[in-house]
Amino acid sequence: MLDVCLLGTSGMMPLPRRALTALMTRFNGSSLLIDCGEGTQVSIREQGWSMHDIDLICITHNHGDHVSGLPGLLLSMGNAERIEPLRIVGPKGTKRVVESLLVIAPGLPFDIHIQELNGKCETIEANGYEIEAFRVQHTVPCYGYSQRIRRMGRFDVEKAKRNEVPMALWSRLQKGETLEWEGRRYTADMVLGQPRKGLKVTYCTDTRPIPEIADYARGADLFICEGMYGEPEMASKAREKKHMTFTEAATLAKMAGVPEMWLTHYSPSLIRPDLYIEESRKIFAGIKLGKDRKTVELNFDGEE
């Protein structure tokens, strides 16, 4: 099971009922945060979730509306007596930005490990899932992220017996371990069936609608994408500022073949995004308006 919460949906500046950009997911006792705009920790508290369990923070890019909430969040995590290390991943320049922000968040009781991304696509292993970081097209280096939870095949008793696997090893092999036992090597594939469908969430903001985004979002159970502008007359501004319109986002979702898309990162001038969604639904029926603290629980196939 993967819990997903869109903590903030505003771009550029916060509004009274619209915090700046952030997404949080929870899986197996660990939390992931993507971006940390102003108001993020308030949204976490209003949602009733814990910031103490955040083990990884992924930054799309180093503009203020995506990182301005970091100092307060880190201080609150420290005040909650967190001592476990925290990983922060982001594009080139993230180390300098985070270290600068830490000037006003001194004395944290936990270590921070910063990883800067340089490639077109990089994979990060974290707490039982993978993060696929892929470069997008903005005015500064910027990445989208896919969180992927893989799922092993079912335990196959007959297969284990055929492979003469000692029963004492079954439970550990079922968890994916590789073991040595009485001079023989045993692997998980000796007791498991074919891998089953896992879960995938793709998050992408502050970019033009390049085709590569649809490629990276393919297979996602949920695609969360920026919709900075809904008004048709703002298309030229979207191109100029390297952002996206509702219809451009909908086209990407259609190309990716995803079942559902949430729009986010609205322009502060877009007070009523609901007035412009219908045209996008003609392109992709599964498009929905994101809003602060919009939440979903994603389950593996066959589970409620």
Side-chain angles (χ1 to χ4, degrees):
M1 180 181 74
L2 178 67
D3 293 320
V4 182
C5 181
L6 196 53
L7 294 171
T9 57
S10 189
M12 297 191 287
M13 67 177 69
L15 298 177
R17 287 176 293 276
R18 194 187 289 171
L20 285 177
T21 306
L23 175 79
M24 190 170 175
T25 67
R26 303 188 303 181
F27 173 71
N28 201 25
S30 175
S31 295
L32 161 73
L33 183 67
I34 302 181
D35 282 338
C36 188
E38 183 181 340
T40 294
Q41 65 170 315
V42 176
S43 292
I44 293 173
R45 291 182 185 279
E46 290 182 339
Q47 179 63 18
W49 289 10
S50 170
M51 62 190 75
H52 186 276
D53 299 325
I54 298 173
D55 297 312
L56 175 64
I57 299 177
C58 295
I59 303 297
T60 57
H61 64 295
N62 291 305
H63 278 165
D65 56 336
H66 294 256
V67 298
S68 56
L70 271 176
L73 177 76
L74 297 176
L75 283 170
S76 293
M77 292 168 69
N79 290 335
E81 300 181 350
R82 179 197 176 96
I83 58 173
E84 295 81 13
L86 172 69
R87 294 175 67 189
I88 298 180
V89 174
K92 187 175 180 180
T94 297
K95 188 173 189 297
R96 174 180 56 83
V97 169
V98 173
E99 288 178 347
S100 298
L101 292 171
L102 288 176
V103 171
I104 57 172
L108 296 175
F110 54 88
D111 293 331
I112 297 178
H113 304 296
I114 301 171
Q115 176 183 347
E116 293 193 340
L117 304 168
N118 293 296
K120 184 176 180 181
C121 180
E122 298 188 34
T123 301
I124 301 132
E125 300 284 342
N127 307 309
Y129 55 84
E130 296 177 355
I131 295 292
E132 185 178 47
F134 52 94
R135 190 179 293 159
V136 295
Q137 188 184 97
H138 193 40
T139 56
V140 297
C142 185
Y143 284 82
Y145 294 98
S146 288
Q147 181 180 13
R148 185 193 302 271
I149 301 170
R150 298 191 184 276
R151 195 183 188 198
M152 295 184 295
R154 295 184 186 278
F155 182 77
D156 188 331
V157 175
E158 296 305 318
K159 188 175 185 182
K161 290 178 178 179
R162 284 197 307 272
N163 287 316
E164 300 180 346
V165 179
M167 190 177 295
L169 307 182
W170 285 7
S171 63
R172 293 179 64 185
L173 291 172
Q174 188 176 1
K175 296 175 183 176
E177 295 186 43
T178 296
L179 304 169
E180 297 287 339
W181 179 272
E182 296 182 350
R184 186 182 175 194
R185 186 169 182 266
Y186 296 89
T187 57
D189 63 300
M190 298 172 75
V191 302
L192 297 178
Q194 290 297 312
R196 292 170 287 175
K197 182 183 180 304
L199 296 171
K200 180 180 177 182
V201 174
T202 297
Y203 182 89
C204 180
T205 185
D206 288 63
T207 178
R208 289 298 296 147
I210 56 176
E212 290 87 347
I213 295 173
D215 294 335
Y216 288 116
R218 193 160 287 117
D221 299 275
L222 175 62
F223 181 16
I224 301 174
C225 185
E226 84 149 87
M228 179 66 103
Y229 304 109
E231 313 93 321
E233 64 270 20
M234 299 299 282
S236 61
K237 189 168 185 179
R239 289 190 294 270
E240 175 192 350
K241 301 294 184 180
K242 296 291 191 290
H243 283 291
M244 246 189 277
T245 65
F246 284 14
T247 54
E248 288 172 329
T251 301
L252 285 178
K254 182 178 180 180
M255 290 169 60
V258 296
E260 187 171 330
M261 167 182 272
W262 293 358
L263 292 174
T264 188
H265 200 265
Y266 305 122
S267 167
S269 64
L270 187 59
I271 304 300
R272 293 283 309 275
D274 56 298
L275 298 179
Y276 303 98
I277 191 66
E278 290 306 321
E279 195 64 29
S280 302
R281 287 193 177 125
K282 295 176 184 177
I283 300 171
F284 177 69
I287 196 167
K288 296 182 180 180
L289 292 170
K291 62 180 181 179
D292 285 24
R293 294 178 301 286
K294 185 177 177 69
T295 308
V296 68
E297 179 185 286
L298 299 176
N299 292 290
F300 293 113
D301 285 350
E303 293 185 359
E304 294 298 328

